[in-house]
Amino acid sequence: MPFRFFGHQSEAVWGLIGRTAAVAALLEDHLVVMLQLLTLSDQTSFSKLSPTRLCELLAGEAPTDDPAWDKWDAWLTDVGRVLEERNEVVHSLWPAQAGNRRFAHRMDRKTGRRVSLDTTHEALVARLTELSDVTTEAEKWKALAGVEAARRRLMPPATKEADGAEDAELRARAKRSSWRKDAWIITIEIPPGREDVYAGLRDGSVLAVLPRRTKVESVKATMIALLQSHVLTDAEDDRYDFVVGEAPYMPQGNAVGRHFELHYPGLPVIAAIRADARINDGELEWRAKPWPDGVSPEDVRRRRREIGGNKNP
């Protein structure tokens, strides 16, 4: 890069600008995916919207009856602020300065005036740290959005009759869907004591519900995508290991059925099990074949350990 562009600018400055751009791009991708999940849209939807518009649309999509979403609006406000600060860093010119001073200027497209930023390297690092913290929190919201999307796919359509009904049973039926037979329930198996590492997911959290006609290869591809999005791994494709068969899935404790487990060294297990699913009183509920008489989940866990972990007992 010619010296006349910016002078002898520190490599630390270029590294900071690059990291800011990369982390912000990840955050924007999270926003798009969450809006697609919450609106039950396909993977091409909302890709051309600005972050500001994405936040506006997301603000109206949070469930109003779930306390887990209480801080949603506050988080979206933080998103808007850190992405605006990203613009100051990424879209500015950075001439070299002496010592620890950092100076940048750019043309403000809204006012047509040139604006400047006079700061220090430590202050810019603090901005990047806050951007990273907000992006880390996005992983939790993405997990919640996946569960809410599964609930909305199964939720029966509301009717005016049910909305205004005085009869308690009629109101209850409005919150309960019929069983969706033989769906794919994709869940995650979090090791004990590791819940805080994986964006607040719990052992057995439902990440997605796929229709029964979903092809097996699509189920596997979805499982890999969920593992990558929730754990943020750059795992190599040839190290993924699928275990397939008629086998029990541990977190639910009393379910046996045809299922897949996706294993990767050092990461949580993602499982897709065939089961009936429905919404009951606003909550996702699913069922599979019961354990055979005389067999408990503890028996199966012990047998799995005896024969070597991933093998089908």
Side-chain angles (χ1 to χ4, degrees):
M1 186 167 57
F3 168 77
R4 65 180 180 276
F5 283 2
F6 303 104
H8 288 298
Q9 185 60 277
S10 167
E11 287 299 322
V13 173
W14 300 131
L16 189 147
I17 294 172
R19 287 179 174 86
T20 299
V23 176
L26 177 61
L27 177 56
E28 288 187 27
D29 186 73
H30 284 326
L31 296 178
V32 172
V33 171
M34 284 188 285
L35 188 55
Q36 291 169 348
L37 286 169
L38 292 172
T39 57
L40 307 183
S41 303
D42 61 51
Q43 295 182 351
T44 62
S45 301
F46 311 115
S47 58
K48 296 181 180 180
L49 297 184
S50 68
T52 300
R53 183 56 179 155
L54 290 171
C55 289
E56 290 174 352
L57 294 174
L58 283 167
E61 290 297 335
T64 57
D65 57 350
D66 189 345
W69 291 79
D70 286 350
K71 297 182 179 180
W72 173 247
D73 290 337
W75 178 74
L76 288 176
T77 299
D78 290 340
V79 169
R81 177 172 45 78
V82 297
L83 288 180
E84 182 62 32
E85 292 177 350
R86 177 279 310 268
N87 290 340
E88 292 182 346
V89 173
V90 174
H91 297 300
S92 292
L93 305 176
W94 291 89
Q97 303 294 314
N100 203 37
R101 183 191 178 204
R102 299 291 180 259
F103 177 80
H105 60 93
R106 64 189 175 100
M107 190 70 73
D108 189 317
R109 294 183 179 180
K110 295 180 180 179
T111 65
R113 298 178 180 178
R114 187 164 294 278
V115 295
S116 62
L117 175 64
D118 199 340
T119 184
T120 65
H121 192 80
E122 287 76 14
L124 293 177
V125 171
R127 285 191 181 199
L128 175 57
T129 300
E130 186 176 17
L131 173 61
S132 297
D133 290 342
V134 171
T135 304
T136 298
E137 195 172 353
E139 299 167 24
K140 178 194 75 172
W141 292 117
K142 194 186 216 178
L144 287 174
V147 175
E148 177 62 16
R151 188 184 73 85
R152 291 180 181 183
R153 286 191 181 94
L154 296 172
M155 180 64 76
T159 65
K160 292 182 180 180
E161 181 184 13
D163 289 342
E166 295 181 0
D167 179 56
E169 176 59 26
L170 185 58
R171 290 198 303 271
R173 285 202 302 270
K175 293 185 177 181
R176 183 171 62 242
S177 68
S178 58
W179 287 102
R180 179 169 295 184
K181 299 292 185 180
D182 212 21
W184 286 106
I185 311 296
I186 301 183
T187 66
I188 188 167
E189 182 177 357
I190 303 292
R194 303 279 289 173
E195 292 84 355
D196 58 330
V197 179
Y198 299 109
L201 293 172
R202 300 188 306 274
D203 192 28
S205 290
V206 175
L207 304 182
V209 178
L210 303 180
R212 62 181 296 177
R213 294 182 179 179
T214 305
K215 294 182 179 180
V216 169
E217 291 307 314
S218 295
V219 175
K220 290 183 178 180
T222 301
M223 294 169 73
I224 292 176
L226 287 168
L227 182 65
Q228 291 174 337
S229 64
H230 289 295
V231 186
L232 286 180
T233 174
D234 55 355
E236 300 172 6
D237 290 346
D238 59 356
R239 299 189 67 190
Y240 289 116
D241 180 24
F242 279 97
V243 179
V244 185
E246 296 285 340
Y249 177 46
M250 299 308 109
Q252 288 293 335
N254 63 347
V256 180
R258 175 166 161 244
H259 93 295
F260 300 88
E261 281 187 3
L262 171 60
H263 293 259
Y264 191 91
L267 298 181
V269 174
I270 300 283
I273 185 169
R274 281 288 199 186
D276 301 337
R278 72 172 181 178
I279 292 295
N280 189 15
D281 197 21
E283 297 294 329
L284 178 66
E285 181 181 7
W286 60 275
R287 66 185 183 188
K289 294 186 297 183
W291 291 98
D293 292 340
V295 178
S296 70
E298 291 73 22
D299 294 332
V300 178
R301 290 190 181 96
R302 181 171 58 253
R303 181 59 180 152
R304 283 166 68 94
R305 288 194 297 269
E306 289 173 355
I307 64 177
N310 293 347
K311 297 180 181 179
N312 185 345

